[in-house]
Every structure is written in C-alpha cells, then in structure tokens.
Amino acid sequence: MHPTRKRRLLMILALIAAAGLATLLIALALQRNVAYLYTPHEVLGGSAGDNVRSGEARFRLGGMVAKGSFKRAPGSMEAHFDVDDGDARLPVVYTGILPDLFRENQSVVATGRMRGKVFVAEEVLAKHDETYMPKEVADKMAQAHKKHQVQDAPAVPAAGAR
C-alpha cells in the first residue's frame, strides 16, 4: 500500500474512532441526567419501578399542591407539602426558596428522590405560562387539572394585538 494512502486510511480510522467515542460520552452524560416524570399514583402504586420507590433513581414528581397541606416552621427554610394527582397523595420535603408562583391547588413539578415514604425535592418548579413545558409534563398537568377541576387562567393577548 502506498504511504500516502496508508496515512489517509489511518486518519479516517482515527476520525471514526474519535466520533464514536464522542457519541458514547454524550449518550452516557445524557442518560445520567435523565429524570422521568411520575405522578404520586405511579410512584406509590409501583408502576414507576423499584428504583424510584427505593430512592435509587432521581425523578420528577408532577401533580397539584394539595389544599391545606403546606407547612413551614417559622424561621426555617424547610417546606412540607403534599402533591396530589387525584388518585394518590405523596408528602414532599423541600429546603430552599420556593418559586413565586408556588401555592396550594397549583400545578407543581419537583425533582428529587424518595426517602422512605417521603419525596425529598432538590428543585421545585411551579407552572408558569411563559416558559416551555415538555409535552409529557403538560399532559400530566392537564390530567391533574381535570381531576381537581382547576380552571386555567385566560390567555392574555400579546402586546399590540386587538
């Protein structure tokens, strides 16, 4: 084989190997950061899987903040509330500042892990009309709204629209 051809072949093989390695690293990084959305009924009923119930898996919990469930001790950053999907209720503990739109009887998505029978949230997001929401989250939140007969706020027309 001619030395120039041999060099080109090695260069192409090295490029293919580098592309394969980069693809593998990206896939592993994305897989580690995936957090699936489950409702309290799916978690407590077992359909979310054993890794979710045992606390091994990090996941997103979606539903409604149950009316009358929010509690926070004076001078504490630890909030306790229940997330309800109409079929089941799951207690949640979160330490930190809650979003401005967080309130009872409002849609919420919390990311965290189970610890015993309590969901320990690392992040809490309240429903917000101006932000993007993935289709699966929107669908599950719509189901929760229907179960609890919560009316969505009327759409505000864009500036300049008549």
Side-chain angles (χ1 to χ4, degrees), residues 25-102:
L25 291 174
I26 290 170
L28 289 174
L30 289 176
Q31 185 178 18
R32 225 178 292 135
N33 290 327
V34 169
Y36 295 101
L37 177 81
Y38 297 110
T39 62
H41 178 70
E42 292 170 328
V43 174
L44 296 174
S47 62
D50 292 333
N51 287 348
V52 169
R53 284 188 84 182
S54 68
E56 292 176 40
R58 183 174 181 255
F59 66 99
R60 292 179 296 159
L61 177 68
M64 306 288 288
V65 178
K67 190 169 188 151
S69 69
F70 180 76
K71 294 172 187 66
R72 178 178 279 178
S76 171
M77 293 293 286
E78 188 172 277
H80 296 264
F81 57 93
D82 293 344
V83 173
D84 189 356
D85 65 357
D87 296 323
R89 216 172 187 181
L90 188 62
V92 177
V93 175
Y94 175 69
T95 303
I97 298 172
L98 290 165
D100 290 338
L101 295 174
F102 179 89

Side-chain angles (χ1 to χ4, degrees), residues 85-149:
D85 65 357
D87 296 323
R89 216 172 187 181
L90 188 62
V92 177
V93 175
Y94 175 69
T95 303
I97 298 172
L98 290 165
D100 290 338
L101 295 174
F102 179 89
R103 61 184 166 269
E104 292 179 348
N105 226 17
Q106 177 71 31
S107 299
V108 68
V109 176
T111 304
R113 298 172 190 272
M114 291 296 294
R115 187 180 304 145
K117 295 187 184 223
V118 176
F119 181 77
V120 179
E122 301 163 3
E123 179 182 26
V124 174
L125 302 171
K127 183 179 176 185
H128 193 283
D129 293 333
E130 285 103 37
T131 59
Y132 168 76
M133 186 177 285
K135 183 176 177 1
E136 91 178 318
V137 177
D139 290 346
K140 289 190 179 188
M141 291 297 101
Q143 289 173 357
H145 274 240
K146 286 178 186 174
K147 285 181 183 177
H148 294 281
Q149 300 169 348

